[in-house]
Amino acid sequence: MTQSIKVGSNENTKTIPQDSNTLLRLAAMIQTRLPQNGGDPETSYVARLLSKGADSILKKVGEEATEVVMAAKDLSHGGHSQPVINEMADLWFHCLIALTHYGLSAQDVFDELERRVGMSGIEEKALRKVRAREQNGD
């Protein structure tokens, strides 16, 4: 069942579906490709990328992020929207692989985003700086 959330100001409020099921299902599939879960680099792209380690995974995330930027720039100059969607999907997919590699989950990211809902971006960034200083003992 898909839940809905309301976003925007009172005069501009709209309801949008809140559905993280696809990302959670994809993250669960990526977990099955870990070597300790039987992932086979000979038959699975995800298992192969995970077996190559952090440098290869992070390089792929960077490549996909660059492709998102390039597709968005093309869209800004009269291009089509589908390449942005395709490249963003690739980026999210590879970010899920990176999270899995580091023992993190999509739910960790959802929880952080939920914490930020309704908070000013300026306020949130200032809070992160305070927390970083506290962690560093400053």
Side-chain angles (χ1 to χ4, degrees), residues 62-117:
E63 288 172 6
E64 296 302 341
T66 300
E67 290 173 6
V68 167
V69 170
M70 292 174 8
K73 294 290 268 180
D74 288 347
L75 179 60
S76 295
H77 292 85
H80 297 284
S81 59
Q82 193 61 47
V84 176
I85 294 166
N86 293 345
E87 296 303 339
M88 191 68 70
D90 289 347
L91 176 59
W92 287 12
F93 177 73
H94 287 90
C95 286
L96 288 172
I97 294 171
L99 286 169
T100 299
H101 172 78
Y102 287 106
L104 302 169
S105 72
Q107 190 61 55
D108 295 329
V109 177
F110 295 149
D111 292 346
E112 177 60 15
L113 289 170
E114 183 63 32
R115 184 188 69 76
R116 296 179 186 188
V117 169

Coordinates of all heavy atoms in Angstrom, one line a residue, residues 62-117:
G62 N 30.6 8.1 -9.1 CA 31.1 9.4 -9.6 C 30.7 9.5 -11.1 O 30.3 10.6 -11.6
E63 N 30.9 8.4 -11.9 CA 30.6 8.4 -13.3 C 29.1 8.7 -13.5 O 28.7 9.5 -14.3 CB 31.0 7.1 -13.9 CG 32.5 6.9 -14.1 CD 32.8 5.5 -14.6 OE1 31.8 4.7 -14.9 OE2 34.0 5.1 -14.6
E64 N 28.3 8.0 -12.7 CA 26.9 8.1 -12.8 C 26.4 9.6 -12.4 O 25.5 10.1 -13.1 CB 26.1 7.1 -12.0 CG 26.4 5.7 -12.5 CD 26.0 5.4 -13.9 OE1 25.2 6.1 -14.6 OE2 26.5 4.4 -14.5
A65 N 27.0 10.1 -11.4 CA 26.7 11.5 -11.0 C 27.0 12.5 -12.1 O 26.2 13.4 -12.4 CB 27.4 11.9 -9.7
T66 N 28.1 12.3 -12.8 CA 28.5 13.1 -13.9 C 27.5 13.0 -15.0 O 27.1 14.0 -15.7 CB 29.9 12.8 -14.4 OG1 30.8 13.0 -13.3 CG2 30.4 13.6 -15.6
E67 N 27.1 11.8 -15.3 CA 26.1 11.6 -16.4 C 24.8 12.2 -16.1 O 24.1 12.7 -17.0 CB 26.0 10.1 -16.7 CG 27.2 9.5 -17.3 CD 27.2 8.0 -17.5 OE1 26.2 7.3 -17.2 OE2 28.3 7.5 -17.9
V68 N 24.4 12.2 -14.8 CA 23.2 13.0 -14.4 C 23.3 14.4 -14.7 O 22.4 15.1 -15.3 CB 22.8 12.8 -12.9 CG1 21.8 13.8 -12.4 CG2 22.4 11.3 -12.6
V69 N 24.5 15.0 -14.3 CA 24.7 16.4 -14.6 C 24.6 16.7 -16.1 O 24.0 17.7 -16.5 CB 26.0 16.9 -14.0 CG1 26.4 18.3 -14.4 CG2 26.0 16.8 -12.5
M70 N 25.3 15.9 -16.9 CA 25.3 16.1 -18.3 C 23.9 16.0 -18.9 O 23.5 16.8 -19.8 CB 26.3 15.1 -19.0 CG 27.7 15.4 -18.6 SD 29.0 14.3 -19.2 CE 28.3 13.1 -20.3
A71 N 23.1 15.0 -18.5 CA 21.8 14.9 -19.0 C 20.9 16.0 -18.6 O 20.1 16.5 -19.4 CB 21.2 13.6 -18.5
A72 N 21.1 16.5 -17.4 CA 20.3 17.7 -16.9 C 20.7 18.9 -17.7 O 19.8 19.8 -18.0 CB 20.5 17.9 -15.4
K73 N 22.0 19.1 -18.0 CA 22.4 20.3 -18.8 C 21.8 20.2 -20.2 O 21.3 21.2 -20.7 CB 23.9 20.3 -18.9 CG 24.6 20.6 -17.6 CD 24.4 22.0 -17.1 CE 25.5 22.9 -17.6 NZ 25.4 24.3 -17.2
D74 N 21.8 19.0 -20.8 CA 21.1 18.8 -22.1 C 19.6 19.2 -22.0 O 19.1 19.8 -22.9 CB 21.3 17.4 -22.6 CG 22.7 17.0 -23.0 OD1 23.5 18.0 -23.2 OD2 23.0 15.8 -23.2
L75 N 19.0 18.7 -20.9 CA 17.6 19.1 -20.8 C 17.4 20.6 -20.7 O 16.4 21.1 -21.2 CB 17.0 18.4 -19.5 CG 15.5 18.6 -19.2 CD1 14.6 18.2 -20.3 CD2 15.2 17.9 -17.9
S76 N 18.3 21.3 -20.0 CA 18.2 22.7 -19.9 C 18.3 23.4 -21.2 O 17.9 24.6 -21.4 CB 19.3 23.2 -18.9 OG 19.1 22.8 -17.6
H77 N 18.9 22.7 -22.2 CA 19.1 23.3 -23.5 C 18.2 22.7 -24.6 O 18.6 22.5 -25.7 CB 20.6 23.2 -23.9 CG 21.5 24.1 -23.1 ND1 22.0 23.7 -21.8 CD2 21.9 25.4 -23.2 CE1 22.7 24.6 -21.3 NE2 22.7 25.7 -22.1
G78 N 17.0 22.2 -24.1 CA 16.1 21.7 -25.1 C 16.1 20.2 -25.3 O 15.4 19.7 -26.1
G79 N 16.9 19.5 -24.5 CA 16.9 18.0 -24.6 C 15.7 17.4 -24.0 O 14.8 18.1 -23.6
H80 N 15.7 16.1 -23.9 CA 14.6 15.3 -23.4 C 14.8 15.0 -22.0 O 15.9 14.9 -21.5 CB 14.4 14.0 -24.2 CG 14.1 14.3 -25.7 ND1 12.9 14.7 -26.1 CD2 14.9 14.2 -26.8 CE1 12.9 14.9 -27.4 NE2 14.1 14.6 -27.9
S81 N 13.7 14.7 -21.3 CA 13.8 14.4 -19.8 C 14.1 13.0 -19.5 O 14.7 12.7 -18.5 CB 12.4 14.7 -19.2 OG 11.4 14.0 -19.8
Q82 N 13.9 12.0 -20.5 CA 14.1 10.6 -20.2 C 15.6 10.3 -19.8 O 15.8 9.5 -18.9 CB 13.6 9.7 -21.3 CG 13.6 8.3 -20.9 CD 12.6 8.0 -19.8 OE1 11.5 8.4 -19.8 NE2 13.1 7.2 -18.8
P83 N 16.6 10.9 -20.5 CA 17.9 10.7 -20.1 C 18.2 11.1 -18.7 O 19.0 10.4 -18.0 CB 18.8 11.5 -21.1 CG 17.9 11.5 -22.3 CD 16.5 11.7 -21.8
V84 N 17.6 12.1 -18.2 CA 17.8 12.5 -16.8 C 17.3 11.4 -15.9 O 17.9 11.0 -14.9 CB 17.2 13.9 -16.5 CG1 17.3 14.2 -15.0 CG2 17.7 15.0 -17.3
I85 N 16.1 10.9 -16.2 CA 15.5 9.9 -15.4 C 16.3 8.6 -15.4 O 16.6 8.0 -14.4 CB 14.1 9.6 -15.9 CG1 13.2 10.8 -15.6 CG2 13.5 8.3 -15.2 CD1 11.8 10.8 -16.3
N86 N 16.8 8.3 -16.6 CA 17.6 7.0 -16.8 C 18.9 7.2 -16.0 O 19.3 6.2 -15.3 CB 17.9 6.8 -18.2 CG 16.7 6.4 -19.0 OD1 15.7 6.1 -18.5 ND2 16.9 6.5 -20.3
E87 N 19.6 8.3 -16.1 CA 20.9 8.5 -15.4 C 20.7 8.6 -13.9 O 21.5 8.1 -13.1 CB 21.6 9.7 -16.0 CG 22.0 9.6 -17.4 CD 22.9 8.3 -17.7 OE1 23.5 7.8 -16.8 OE2 22.9 8.0 -18.9
M88 N 19.6 9.2 -13.5 CA 19.3 9.3 -12.0 C 19.1 7.9 -11.5 O 19.5 7.6 -10.4 CB 18.1 10.2 -11.8 CG 17.9 10.6 -10.3 SD 19.3 11.6 -9.6 CE 18.9 13.2 -10.4
A89 N 18.3 7.1 -12.2 CA 18.1 5.7 -11.8 C 19.4 4.9 -11.6 O 19.6 4.2 -10.7 CB 17.2 5.0 -12.8
D90 N 20.3 5.1 -12.6 CA 21.6 4.5 -12.5 C 22.4 5.0 -11.3 O 23.0 4.2 -10.6 CB 22.5 4.8 -13.8 CG 22.0 4.1 -15.0 OD1 21.1 3.2 -14.9 OD2 22.4 4.5 -16.1
L91 N 22.3 6.3 -11.0 CA 23.0 6.8 -9.9 C 22.5 6.3 -8.6 O 23.2 5.8 -7.7 CB 22.9 8.4 -9.9 CG 23.5 9.1 -8.7 CD1 25.0 8.8 -8.5 CD2 23.3 10.6 -8.8
W92 N 21.2 6.3 -8.4 CA 20.6 5.7 -7.2 C 20.9 4.2 -7.0 O 21.3 3.8 -5.9 CB 19.0 5.9 -7.3 CG 18.6 7.3 -7.1 CD1 19.3 8.4 -7.1 CD2 17.2 7.7 -6.8 NE1 18.5 9.5 -6.9 CE2 17.2 9.1 -6.8 CE3 16.0 7.0 -6.7 CZ2 16.0 9.8 -6.5 CZ3 14.8 7.7 -6.5 CH2 14.9 9.1 -6.4
F93 N 20.9 3.5 -8.1 CA 21.3 2.1 -8.1 C 22.7 1.9 -7.6 O 22.9 1.1 -6.7 CB 21.1 1.5 -9.5 CG 21.5 0.0 -9.6 CD1 20.7 -1.0 -9.1 CD2 22.7 -0.3 -10.3 CE1 21.1 -2.3 -9.1 CE2 23.1 -1.6 -10.4 CZ 22.3 -2.6 -9.8
H94 N 23.6 2.7 -8.1 CA 25.0 2.5 -7.7 C 25.2 3.1 -6.3 O 26.1 2.6 -5.6 CB 25.9 3.1 -8.8 CG 26.0 2.3 -10.0 ND1 25.2 2.5 -11.0 CD2 26.8 1.3 -10.3 CE1 25.4 1.5 -12.0 NE2 26.5 0.8 -11.5
C95 N 24.5 4.0 -5.9 CA 24.5 4.5 -4.5 C 24.1 3.4 -3.5 O 24.6 3.2 -2.5 CB 23.7 5.7 -4.3 SG 24.4 7.2 -5.0
L96 N 23.0 2.6 -3.9 CA 22.6 1.5 -3.1 C 23.7 0.4 -3.0 O 23.9 -0.2 -1.9 CB 21.3 0.9 -3.7 CG 20.1 1.7 -3.5 CD1 18.9 1.0 -4.3 CD2 19.7 1.9 -2.1
I97 N 24.4 0.2 -4.1 CA 25.6 -0.7 -4.0 C 26.6 -0.2 -3.1 O 27.2 -1.0 -2.3 CB 26.1 -1.0 -5.5 CG1 25.1 -1.7 -6.3 CG2 27.4 -1.8 -5.4 CD1 25.5 -1.8 -7.8
A98 N 26.9 1.1 -3.1 CA 27.9 1.7 -2.2 C 27.4 1.5 -0.8 O 28.3 1.2 0.1 CB 28.2 3.2 -2.6
L99 N 26.2 1.8 -0.5 CA 25.7 1.7 0.9 C 25.9 0.2 1.3 O 26.3 0.0 2.5 CB 24.2 2.0 0.9 CG 23.9 3.5 0.9 CD1 22.4 3.7 0.7 CD2 24.3 4.2 2.1
T100 N 25.5 -0.7 0.5 CA 25.7 -2.1 0.8 C 27.1 -2.5 1.1 O 27.4 -3.2 2.1 CB 25.1 -3.0 -0.3 OG1 23.7 -2.7 -0.5 CG2 25.3 -4.5 0.0
H101 N 28.0 -2.0 0.3 CA 29.5 -2.2 0.5 C 29.9 -1.8 1.9 O 30.7 -2.5 2.5 CB 30.3 -1.6 -0.6 CG 31.8 -1.6 -0.3 ND1 32.5 -2.7 -0.6 CD2 32.6 -0.7 0.2 CE1 33.8 -2.5 -0.2 NE2 33.9 -1.3 0.2
Y102 N 29.4 -0.6 2.3 CA 29.8 -0.1 3.6 C 29.0 -0.6 4.8 O 29.1 -0.1 5.9 CB 29.8 1.4 3.5 CG 31.0 2.0 2.7 CD1 30.8 2.5 1.4 CD2 32.3 1.9 3.2 CE1 31.9 2.9 0.6 CE2 33.4 2.3 2.4 CZ 33.1 2.8 1.2 OH 34.2 3.3 0.4
G103 N 28.1 -1.5 4.5 CA 27.3 -2.1 5.6 C 26.2 -1.1 6.0 O 25.7 -1.3 7.2
L104 N 25.8 -0.2 5.2 CA 24.7 0.7 5.5 C 23.5 0.3 4.7 O 23.6 -0.6 3.8 CB 25.2 2.1 5.1 CG 26.4 2.6 5.8 CD1 26.9 3.9 5.2 CD2 26.1 2.8 7.3
S105 N 22.4 1.0 4.9 CA 21.1 0.6 4.2 C 20.4 1.8 3.6 O 20.6 2.9 4.1 CB 20.2 -0.2 5.2 OG 19.7 0.7 6.1
A106 N 19.5 1.5 2.7 CA 18.6 2.5 2.2 C 17.8 3.1 3.3 O 17.5 4.3 3.4 CB 17.7 1.9 1.1
Q107 N 17.4 2.3 4.3 CA 16.6 2.7 5.4 C 17.4 3.8 6.2 O 16.8 4.7 6.7 CB 16.2 1.6 6.3 CG 15.1 2.0 7.4 CD 13.9 2.5 6.7 OE1 13.3 1.9 5.9 NE2 13.5 3.7 7.1
D108 N 18.7 3.6 6.3 CA 19.5 4.6 7.0 C 19.4 6.0 6.4 O 19.2 7.0 7.0 CB 21.0 4.2 7.0 CG 21.3 3.0 7.8 OD1 20.6 2.7 8.8 OD2 22.3 2.3 7.4
V109 N 19.3 6.0 5.0 CA 19.2 7.3 4.3 C 17.8 7.8 4.4 O 17.6 9.0 4.7 CB 19.6 7.1 2.8 CG1 19.3 8.3 2.0 CG2 21.0 6.6 2.7
F110 N 16.8 6.9 4.4 CA 15.4 7.3 4.6 C 15.2 8.0 5.9 O 14.5 9.0 6.1 CB 14.4 6.2 4.4 CG 14.4 5.6 3.0 CD1 14.1 4.2 2.9 CD2 14.6 6.3 1.9 CE1 14.0 3.7 1.6 CE2 14.5 5.8 0.6 CZ 14.2 4.4 0.5
D111 N 15.8 7.4 6.9 CA 15.7 7.9 8.3 C 16.3 9.3 8.4 O 15.8 10.2 9.0 CB 16.4 7.0 9.3 CG 15.6 5.6 9.5 OD1 14.5 5.5 9.0 OD2 16.3 4.7 10.0
E112 N 17.5 9.5 7.7 CA 18.1 10.8 7.7 C 17.3 11.8 7.0 O 17.1 13.0 7.4 CB 19.5 10.7 7.1 CG 20.2 12.1 7.0 CD 20.4 12.8 8.4 OE1 20.3 12.1 9.5 OE2 20.7 14.0 8.3
L113 N 16.7 11.4 5.9 CA 15.8 12.4 5.1 C 14.6 12.7 5.9 O 14.2 13.9 6.0 CB 15.5 11.8 3.8 CG 16.6 11.7 2.8 CD1 16.1 10.9 1.5 CD2 17.0 13.1 2.3
E114 N 14.0 11.7 6.6 CA 12.9 12.0 7.5 C 13.2 13.0 8.6 O 12.4 13.8 8.9 CB 12.3 10.7 8.1 CG 11.1 10.8 8.9 CD 9.9 11.3 8.1 OE1 9.8 11.0 6.9 OE2 9.1 12.0 8.7
R115 N 14.4 12.8 9.1 CA 14.8 13.8 10.2 C 14.9 15.2 9.7 O 14.6 16.1 10.4 CB 16.2 13.3 10.7 CG 16.7 14.2 11.9 CD 18.2 13.8 12.2 NE 19.1 14.3 11.2 CZ 19.5 15.5 11.0 NH1 19.1 16.5 11.7 NH2 20.4 15.8 10.1
R116 N 15.2 15.3 8.4 CA 15.4 16.7 7.8 C 14.0 17.3 7.3 O 14.0 18.5 7.0 CB 16.3 16.6 6.6 CG 17.7 16.2 7.0 CD 18.6 16.2 5.8 NE 19.9 15.7 6.1 CZ 20.9 15.7 5.2 NH1 20.7 16.1 4.0 NH2 22.1 15.2 5.6
V117 N 13.0 16.5 7.2 CA 11.7 17.0 6.6 C 11.3 18.2 7.5 O 11.2 18.1 8.7 CB 10.6 15.9 6.6 CG1 9.3 16.5 6.3 CG2 11.0 14.9 5.5

